[in-house]
Amino acid sequence: MNTIGALFYLFSAVLLFASFRVITAKSTVHAALYLVLAFANAAVIWMLLKAEFLAIALVLVYVGAVMVLFLFVVMMLDLKGDEFREGFWKHMPLAGMIGTVIALEMALVLMRGFQLTDVPVLDPALAKLGNTRLLGIEVYTKYLYPLQVAAVLLLVAIVAAIALTLRKRKDSRAQDPSQQVLAKKADRLRIVKMAPVIEVPSAPPPPPAAAAAGDKK
């Protein structure tokens, strides 16, 4: 066994341990941290398989963005994991059966890739371009339409997520741009015509009772 093979088994063992701890950790924050460890080991395995683009994408997208946001949300909401574990062993047989079926399906798909008889020979000129550039050429030429369909689906998902969060609150002081556009000058300012000089009114005469009291004094 060479060094690459030993490193592969080492990081694979750590990846399996971290994946197991994701579903068995009592704390939600610890489970998220174990998931970050699993992603990091998966990225190292991609590097060992000479798939640099997938390794960097896994670190930047999942570890650097998704998991940081997930950790922020979990720590801010202070979720209690005890409520989520209720009925864990009750649903364990069904979950194990579904996991076994998924594992068998993945094994069937991957075994076909290892049973290739005619291995395509890569052009030496293309081999000098690197994996990232070759992947970009394949994605934006041969798989351009599936890429656009995936982009549209992601856009719809983003719009749906934003629409679900747009709830009207009674205590919100946000401005409505549609009402601001429809506003007119007459709704904001009213001009009142007044005389330039206003005469001071004279003092009113005293009432009769007050005048009589003054005469008696």
Side-chain angles (χ1 to χ4, degrees), residues 164-201:
L164 291 175
T165 57
L166 290 178
R167 299 177 181 177
K168 293 184 178 180
R169 297 175 54 184
K170 295 181 179 180
D171 57 346
S172 178
R173 297 182 179 180
Q175 298 180 356
D176 190 357
S178 61
Q179 297 296 329
Q180 292 179 341
V181 173
L182 296 177
K184 298 179 180 179
K185 183 176 66 175
D187 301 333
R188 296 288 186 264
L189 179 65
R190 184 166 61 91
I191 300 176
V192 179
K193 294 183 178 180
M194 300 180 63
V197 178
I198 301 178
E199 297 180 357
V200 179

mmCIF file of all heavy atoms in Angstrom, residues 164-201:
data_model
loop_
_atom_site.group_PDB
_atom_site.id
_atom_site.type_symbol
_atom_site.label_atom_id
_atom_site.label_comp_id
_atom_site.label_asym_id
_atom_site.label_seq_id
_atom_site.Cartn_x
_atom_site.Cartn_y
_atom_site.Cartn_z
ATOM 1 N N LEU A 164 -41.989 33.149 1.069
ATOM 2 C CA LEU A 164 -42.468 32.587 2.329
ATOM 3 C C LEU A 164 -42.105 33.454 3.526
ATOM 4 O O LEU A 164 -42.802 33.436 4.553
ATOM 5 C CB LEU A 164 -41.901 31.179 2.523
ATOM 6 C CG LEU A 164 -42.435 30.099 1.578
ATOM 7 C CD1 LEU A 164 -41.704 28.785 1.801
ATOM 8 C CD2 LEU A 164 -43.931 29.903 1.769
ATOM 9 N N THR A 165 -41.025 34.194 3.414
ATOM 10 C CA THR A 165 -40.609 35.055 4.531
ATOM 11 C C THR A 165 -41.280 36.418 4.516
ATOM 12 O O THR A 165 -41.172 37.153 5.512
ATOM 13 C CB THR A 165 -39.077 35.250 4.498
ATOM 14 O OG1 THR A 165 -38.705 35.815 3.224
ATOM 15 C CG2 THR A 165 -38.365 33.928 4.680
ATOM 16 N N LEU A 166 -41.962 36.781 3.440
ATOM 17 C CA LEU A 166 -42.618 38.089 3.350
ATOM 18 C C LEU A 166 -43.979 38.027 4.028
ATOM 19 O O LEU A 166 -44.998 37.764 3.408
ATOM 20 C CB LEU A 166 -42.761 38.518 1.881
ATOM 21 C CG LEU A 166 -41.476 38.892 1.158
ATOM 22 C CD1 LEU A 166 -41.767 39.238 -0.294
ATOM 23 C CD2 LEU A 166 -40.799 40.072 1.840
ATOM 24 N N ARG A 167 -43.980 38.233 5.293
ATOM 25 C CA ARG A 167 -45.215 38.235 6.067
ATOM 26 C C ARG A 167 -45.444 39.630 6.632
ATOM 27 O O ARG A 167 -44.527 40.269 7.136
ATOM 28 C CB ARG A 167 -45.129 37.222 7.216
ATOM 29 C CG ARG A 167 -44.932 35.783 6.739
ATOM 30 C CD ARG A 167 -44.784 34.848 7.922
ATOM 31 N NE ARG A 167 -44.578 33.484 7.481
ATOM 32 C CZ ARG A 167 -44.355 32.472 8.310
ATOM 33 N NH1 ARG A 167 -44.304 32.691 9.619
ATOM 34 N NH2 ARG A 167 -44.166 31.254 7.833
ATOM 35 N N LYS A 168 -46.681 40.077 6.567
ATOM 36 C CA LYS A 168 -47.005 41.416 7.034
ATOM 37 C C LYS A 168 -47.060 41.428 8.555
ATOM 38 O O LYS A 168 -47.688 40.579 9.178
ATOM 39 C CB LYS A 168 -48.352 41.873 6.464
ATOM 40 C CG LYS A 168 -48.317 42.075 4.961
ATOM 41 C CD LYS A 168 -49.640 42.615 4.458
ATOM 42 C CE LYS A 168 -49.592 42.874 2.961
ATOM 43 N NZ LYS A 168 -50.880 43.395 2.457
ATOM 44 N N ARG A 169 -46.375 42.380 9.128
ATOM 45 C CA ARG A 169 -46.370 42.552 10.565
ATOM 46 C C ARG A 169 -47.038 43.868 10.934
ATOM 47 O O ARG A 169 -46.900 44.869 10.237
ATOM 48 C CB ARG A 169 -44.929 42.525 11.100
ATOM 49 C CG ARG A 169 -44.226 41.217 10.864
ATOM 50 C CD ARG A 169 -42.769 41.284 11.311
ATOM 51 N NE ARG A 169 -42.667 41.736 12.689
ATOM 52 C CZ ARG A 169 -41.499 41.949 13.302
ATOM 53 N NH1 ARG A 169 -40.370 41.768 12.636
ATOM 54 N NH2 ARG A 169 -41.471 42.345 14.553
ATOM 55 N N LYS A 170 -47.749 43.861 12.045
ATOM 56 C CA LYS A 170 -48.459 45.063 12.451
ATOM 57 C C LYS A 170 -47.502 46.146 12.949
ATOM 58 O O LYS A 170 -47.789 47.325 12.809
ATOM 59 C CB LYS A 170 -49.467 44.705 13.544
ATOM 60 C CG LYS A 170 -50.566 43.778 13.063
ATOM 61 C CD LYS A 170 -51.548 43.475 14.175
ATOM 62 C CE LYS A 170 -52.659 42.552 13.682
ATOM 63 N NZ LYS A 170 -53.636 42.239 14.760
ATOM 64 N N ASP A 171 -46.402 45.713 13.560
ATOM 65 C CA ASP A 171 -45.469 46.693 14.110
ATOM 66 C C ASP A 171 -44.374 47.087 13.124
ATOM 67 O O ASP A 171 -43.403 47.726 13.507
ATOM 68 C CB ASP A 171 -44.823 46.138 15.386
ATOM 69 C CG ASP A 171 -44.122 44.810 15.121
ATOM 70 O OD1 ASP A 171 -44.358 44.210 14.058
ATOM 71 O OD2 ASP A 171 -43.338 44.379 15.996
ATOM 72 N N SER A 172 -44.511 46.706 11.871
ATOM 73 C CA SER A 172 -43.488 47.035 10.885
ATOM 74 C C SER A 172 -43.677 48.467 10.399
ATOM 75 O O SER A 172 -44.797 48.912 10.127
ATOM 76 C CB SER A 172 -43.572 46.066 9.694
ATOM 77 O OG SER A 172 -42.614 46.405 8.716
ATOM 78 N N ARG A 173 -42.567 49.182 10.285
ATOM 79 C CA ARG A 173 -42.584 50.563 9.814
ATOM 80 C C ARG A 173 -41.953 50.687 8.434
ATOM 81 O O ARG A 173 -41.473 51.756 8.070
ATOM 82 C CB ARG A 173 -41.858 51.461 10.802
ATOM 83 C CG ARG A 173 -42.506 51.507 12.174
ATOM 84 C CD ARG A 173 -41.768 52.451 13.097
ATOM 85 N NE ARG A 173 -42.396 52.510 14.418
ATOM 86 C CZ ARG A 173 -41.968 53.252 15.426
ATOM 87 N NH1 ARG A 173 -40.881 54.020 15.239
ATOM 88 N NH2 ARG A 173 -42.576 53.243 16.587
ATOM 89 N N ALA A 174 -41.940 49.620 7.698
ATOM 90 C CA ALA A 174 -41.339 49.657 6.367
ATOM 91 C C ALA A 174 -42.205 50.483 5.417
ATOM 92 O O ALA A 174 -43.436 50.548 5.550
ATOM 93 C CB ALA A 174 -41.170 48.238 5.823
ATOM 94 N N GLN A 175 -41.579 51.107 4.465
ATOM 95 C CA GLN A 175 -42.286 51.926 3.491
ATOM 96 C C GLN A 175 -42.726 51.074 2.309
ATOM 97 O O GLN A 175 -42.064 50.096 1.951
ATOM 98 C CB GLN A 175 -41.382 53.056 3.008
ATOM 99 C CG GLN A 175 -40.961 54.023 4.104
ATOM 100 C CD GLN A 175 -40.063 55.117 3.596
ATOM 101 O OE1 GLN A 175 -39.686 55.119 2.434
ATOM 102 N NE2 GLN A 175 -39.725 56.060 4.451
ATOM 103 N N ASP A 176 -43.835 51.463 1.724
ATOM 104 C CA ASP A 176 -44.373 50.773 0.567
ATOM 105 C C ASP A 176 -44.026 51.580 -0.686
ATOM 106 O O ASP A 176 -44.564 52.671 -0.890
ATOM 107 C CB ASP A 176 -45.891 50.619 0.692
ATOM 108 C CG ASP A 176 -46.458 49.685 -0.367
ATOM 109 O OD1 ASP A 176 -45.672 49.213 -1.214
ATOM 110 O OD2 ASP A 176 -47.670 49.423 -0.345
ATOM 111 N N PRO A 177 -43.127 51.103 -1.543
ATOM 112 C CA PRO A 177 -42.756 51.882 -2.738
ATOM 113 C C PRO A 177 -43.920 52.129 -3.678
ATOM 114 O O PRO A 177 -43.969 53.166 -4.342
ATOM 115 C CB PRO A 177 -41.666 51.033 -3.392
ATOM 116 C CG PRO A 177 -41.129 50.164 -2.295
ATOM 117 C CD PRO A 177 -42.296 49.899 -1.401
ATOM 118 N N SER A 178 -44.863 51.181 -3.748
ATOM 119 C CA SER A 178 -46.001 51.383 -4.657
ATOM 120 C C SER A 178 -46.864 52.558 -4.214
ATOM 121 O O SER A 178 -47.356 53.332 -5.041
ATOM 122 C CB SER A 178 -46.837 50.107 -4.720
ATOM 123 O OG SER A 178 -47.352 49.782 -3.443
ATOM 124 N N GLN A 179 -47.040 52.725 -2.906
ATOM 125 C CA GLN A 179 -47.800 53.869 -2.423
ATOM 126 C C GLN A 179 -47.028 55.171 -2.593
ATOM 127 O O GLN A 179 -47.611 56.227 -2.840
ATOM 128 C CB GLN A 179 -48.156 53.660 -0.942
ATOM 129 C CG GLN A 179 -49.041 52.461 -0.695
ATOM 130 C CD GLN A 179 -50.407 52.611 -1.337
ATOM 131 O OE1 GLN A 179 -50.919 53.721 -1.474
ATOM 132 N NE2 GLN A 179 -51.012 51.496 -1.709
ATOM 133 N N GLN A 180 -45.706 55.115 -2.492
ATOM 134 C CA GLN A 180 -44.904 56.321 -2.687
ATOM 135 C C GLN A 180 -44.952 56.796 -4.136
ATOM 136 O O GLN A 180 -44.973 57.998 -4.403
ATOM 137 C CB GLN A 180 -43.462 56.045 -2.277
ATOM 138 C CG GLN A 180 -43.282 55.821 -0.789
ATOM 139 C CD GLN A 180 -41.849 55.517 -0.428
ATOM 140 O OE1 GLN A 180 -41.056 55.137 -1.283
ATOM 141 N NE2 GLN A 180 -41.501 55.672 0.833
ATOM 142 N N VAL A 181 -44.974 55.869 -5.076
ATOM 143 C CA VAL A 181 -45.027 56.254 -6.490
ATOM 144 C C VAL A 181 -46.371 56.885 -6.827
ATOM 145 O O VAL A 181 -46.456 57.836 -7.627
ATOM 146 C CB VAL A 181 -44.746 55.023 -7.370
ATOM 147 C CG1 VAL A 181 -44.963 55.348 -8.842
ATOM 148 C CG2 VAL A 181 -43.323 54.538 -7.162
ATOM 149 N N LEU A 182 -47.453 56.398 -6.224
ATOM 150 C CA LEU A 182 -48.788 56.925 -6.525
ATOM 151 C C LEU A 182 -49.088 58.239 -5.807
ATOM 152 O O LEU A 182 -50.144 58.830 -6.051
ATOM 153 C CB LEU A 182 -49.847 55.883 -6.146
ATOM 154 C CG LEU A 182 -49.795 54.562 -6.934
ATOM 155 C CD1 LEU A 182 -50.853 53.602 -6.407
ATOM 156 C CD2 LEU A 182 -50.005 54.815 -8.423
ATOM 157 N N ALA A 183 -48.219 58.683 -4.929
ATOM 158 C CA ALA A 183 -48.477 59.923 -4.185
ATOM 159 C C ALA A 183 -48.412 61.133 -5.109
ATOM 160 O O ALA A 183 -47.617 61.183 -6.050
ATOM 161 C CB ALA A 183 -47.463 60.069 -3.049
ATOM 162 N N LYS A 184 -49.284 62.120 -4.848
ATOM 163 C CA LYS A 184 -49.340 63.354 -5.639
ATOM 164 C C LYS A 184 -49.014 64.555 -4.740
ATOM 165 O O LYS A 184 -48.975 64.453 -3.520
ATOM 166 C CB LYS A 184 -50.725 63.519 -6.255
ATOM 167 C CG LYS A 184 -51.101 62.397 -7.220
ATOM 168 C CD LYS A 184 -52.494 62.612 -7.783
ATOM 169 C CE LYS A 184 -52.870 61.484 -8.738
ATOM 170 N NZ LYS A 184 -54.246 61.666 -9.284
ATOM 171 N N LYS A 185 -48.799 65.678 -5.406
ATOM 172 C CA LYS A 185 -48.462 66.890 -4.676
ATOM 173 C C LYS A 185 -49.612 67.351 -3.786
ATOM 174 O O LYS A 185 -49.392 67.845 -2.670
ATOM 175 C CB LYS A 185 -48.082 67.990 -5.656
ATOM 176 C CG LYS A 185 -47.634 69.280 -4.987
ATOM 177 C CD LYS A 185 -47.184 70.291 -6.010
ATOM 178 C CE LYS A 185 -48.354 70.725 -6.882
ATOM 179 N NZ LYS A 185 -47.978 71.811 -7.816
ATOM 180 N N ALA A 186 -50.820 67.159 -4.262
ATOM 181 C CA ALA A 186 -51.973 67.592 -3.476
ATOM 182 C C ALA A 186 -52.152 66.772 -2.206
ATOM 183 O O ALA A 186 -52.759 67.234 -1.242
ATOM 184 C CB ALA A 186 -53.236 67.518 -4.327
ATOM 185 N N ASP A 187 -51.634 65.531 -2.202
ATOM 186 C CA ASP A 187 -51.752 64.695 -1.007
ATOM 187 C C ASP A 187 -50.732 65.069 0.066
ATOM 188 O O ASP A 187 -50.923 64.740 1.237
ATOM 189 C CB ASP A 187 -51.562 63.228 -1.387
ATOM 190 C CG ASP A 187 -52.587 62.770 -2.413
ATOM 191 O OD1 ASP A 187 -53.687 63.355 -2.440
ATOM 192 O OD2 ASP A 187 -52.285 61.821 -3.181
ATOM 193 N N ARG A 188 -49.687 65.753 -0.326
ATOM 194 C CA ARG A 188 -48.624 66.080 0.623
ATOM 195 C C ARG A 188 -48.646 67.565 1.068
ATOM 196 O O ARG A 188 -48.186 67.899 2.132
ATOM 197 C CB ARG A 188 -47.255 65.775 -0.014
ATOM 198 C CG ARG A 188 -47.041 64.305 -0.319
ATOM 199 C CD ARG A 188 -46.835 63.517 0.966
ATOM 200 N NE ARG A 188 -46.493 62.134 0.698
ATOM 201 C CZ ARG A 188 -47.358 61.127 0.674
ATOM 202 N NH1 ARG A 188 -48.650 61.415 0.894
ATOM 203 N NH2 ARG A 188 -46.990 59.900 0.447
ATOM 204 N N LEU A 189 -49.188 68.462 0.218
ATOM 205 C CA LEU A 189 -49.140 69.892 0.502
ATOM 206 C C LEU A 189 -50.480 70.532 0.159
ATOM 207 O O LEU A 189 -51.038 70.271 -0.906
ATOM 208 C CB LEU A 189 -48.014 70.553 -0.316
ATOM 209 C CG LEU A 189 -47.846 72.053 -0.163
ATOM 210 C CD1 LEU A 189 -47.427 72.403 1.251
ATOM 211 C CD2 LEU A 189 -46.811 72.568 -1.176
ATOM 212 N N ARG A 190 -50.975 71.340 1.073
ATOM 213 C CA ARG A 190 -52.237 72.064 0.846
ATOM 214 C C ARG A 190 -51.975 73.553 1.058
ATOM 215 O O ARG A 190 -51.506 73.966 2.120
ATOM 216 C CB ARG A 190 -53.320 71.581 1.806
ATOM 217 C CG ARG A 190 -54.684 72.220 1.565
ATOM 218 C CD ARG A 190 -55.748 71.453 2.313
ATOM 219 N NE ARG A 190 -55.499 71.465 3.738
ATOM 220 C CZ ARG A 190 -55.999 72.393 4.579
ATOM 221 N NH1 ARG A 190 -56.760 73.375 4.106
ATOM 222 N NH2 ARG A 190 -55.753 72.321 5.865
ATOM 223 N N ILE A 191 -52.243 74.358 0.045
ATOM 224 C CA ILE A 191 -51.992 75.798 0.080
ATOM 225 C C ILE A 191 -53.263 76.512 0.541
ATOM 226 O O ILE A 191 -54.347 76.306 -0.036
ATOM 227 C CB ILE A 191 -51.553 76.310 -1.303
ATOM 228 C CG1 ILE A 191 -50.264 75.589 -1.748
ATOM 229 C CG2 ILE A 191 -51.337 77.812 -1.265
ATOM 230 C CD1 ILE A 191 -49.809 75.959 -3.136
ATOM 231 N N VAL A 192 -53.131 77.325 1.580
ATOM 232 C CA VAL A 192 -54.256 78.075 2.143
ATOM 233 C C VAL A 192 -53.999 79.561 1.915
ATOM 234 O O VAL A 192 -52.929 80.070 2.274
ATOM 235 C CB VAL A 192 -54.419 77.781 3.647
ATOM 236 C CG1 VAL A 192 -55.577 78.597 4.225
ATOM 237 C CG2 VAL A 192 -54.630 76.300 3.872
ATOM 238 N N LYS A 193 -54.954 80.266 1.282
ATOM 239 C CA LYS A 193 -54.822 81.699 1.022
ATOM 240 C C LYS A 193 -55.272 82.484 2.249
ATOM 241 O O LYS A 193 -56.378 82.279 2.756
ATOM 242 C CB LYS A 193 -55.658 82.100 -0.187
ATOM 243 C CG LYS A 193 -55.166 81.484 -1.490
ATOM 244 C CD LYS A 193 -55.992 81.967 -2.668
ATOM 245 C CE LYS A 193 -55.460 81.375 -3.967
ATOM 246 N NZ LYS A 193 -56.267 81.850 -5.136
ATOM 247 N N MET A 194 -54.417 83.381 2.695
ATOM 248 C CA MET A 194 -54.722 84.210 3.868
ATOM 249 C C MET A 194 -54.412 85.673 3.542
ATOM 250 O O MET A 194 -53.601 85.962 2.657
ATOM 251 C CB MET A 194 -53.893 83.768 5.083
ATOM 252 C CG MET A 194 -54.135 82.326 5.498
ATOM 253 S SD MET A 194 -53.136 81.844 6.922
ATOM 254 C CE MET A 194 -53.800 82.959 8.155
ATOM 255 N N ALA A 195 -55.075 86.573 4.273
ATOM 256 C CA ALA A 195 -54.847 88.012 4.083
ATOM 257 C C ALA A 195 -53.448 88.366 4.567
ATOM 258 O O ALA A 195 -52.955 87.806 5.548
ATOM 259 C CB ALA A 195 -55.884 88.814 4.851
ATOM 260 N N PRO A 196 -52.800 89.349 3.918
ATOM 261 C CA PRO A 196 -51.434 89.688 4.348
ATOM 262 C C PRO A 196 -51.381 90.373 5.706
ATOM 263 O O PRO A 196 -50.387 90.274 6.414
ATOM 264 C CB PRO A 196 -50.947 90.619 3.232
ATOM 265 C CG PRO A 196 -52.183 91.165 2.628
ATOM 266 C CD PRO A 196 -53.224 90.090 2.734
ATOM 267 N N VAL A 197 -52.461 91.109 6.085
ATOM 268 C CA VAL A 197 -52.504 91.814 7.371
ATOM 269 C C VAL A 197 -53.765 91.370 8.101
ATOM 270 O O VAL A 197 -54.854 91.363 7.521
ATOM 271 C CB VAL A 197 -52.509 93.346 7.181
ATOM 272 C CG1 VAL A 197 -52.615 94.038 8.545
ATOM 273 C CG2 VAL A 197 -51.261 93.801 6.453
ATOM 274 N N ILE A 198 -53.583 90.995 9.353
ATOM 275 C CA ILE A 198 -54.715 90.567 10.172
ATOM 276 C C ILE A 198 -54.909 91.586 11.280
ATOM 277 O O ILE A 198 -53.979 91.892 12.046
ATOM 278 C CB ILE A 198 -54.475 89.161 10.759
ATOM 279 C CG1 ILE A 198 -54.263 88.138 9.636
ATOM 280 C CG2 ILE A 198 -55.646 88.744 11.645
ATOM 281 C CD1 ILE A 198 -53.965 86.748 10.132
ATOM 282 N N GLU A 199 -56.106 92.222 11.376
ATOM 283 C CA GLU A 199 -56.394 93.207 12.419
ATOM 284 C C GLU A 199 -56.605 92.517 13.763
ATOM 285 O O GLU A 199 -57.238 91.453 13.841
ATOM 286 C CB GLU A 199 -57.649 93.994 12.056
ATOM 287 C CG GLU A 199 -57.501 94.805 10.776
ATOM 288 C CD GLU A 199 -58.750 95.579 10.433
ATOM 289 O OE1 GLU A 199 -59.747 95.412 11.202
ATOM 290 O OE2 GLU A 199 -58.743 96.318 9.442
ATOM 291 N N VAL A 200 -56.039 93.149 14.797
ATOM 292 C CA VAL A 200 -56.182 92.588 16.153
ATOM 293 C C VAL A 200 -57.587 92.889 16.653
ATOM 294 O O VAL A 200 -58.017 94.056 16.633
ATOM 295 C CB VAL A 200 -55.131 93.190 17.101
ATOM 296 C CG1 VAL A 200 -55.293 92.630 18.518
ATOM 297 C CG2 VAL A 200 -53.740 92.924 16.568
ATOM 298 N N PRO A 201 -58.318 91.917 17.072
ATOM 299 C CA PRO A 201 -59.681 92.194 17.549
ATOM 300 C C PRO A 201 -59.642 92.975 18.848
ATOM 301 O O PRO A 201 -58.746 92.822 19.675
ATOM 302 C CB PRO A 201 -60.271 90.802 17.730
ATOM 303 C CG PRO A 201 -59.082 89.915 17.944
ATOM 304 C CD PRO A 201 -57.975 90.501 17.114
#
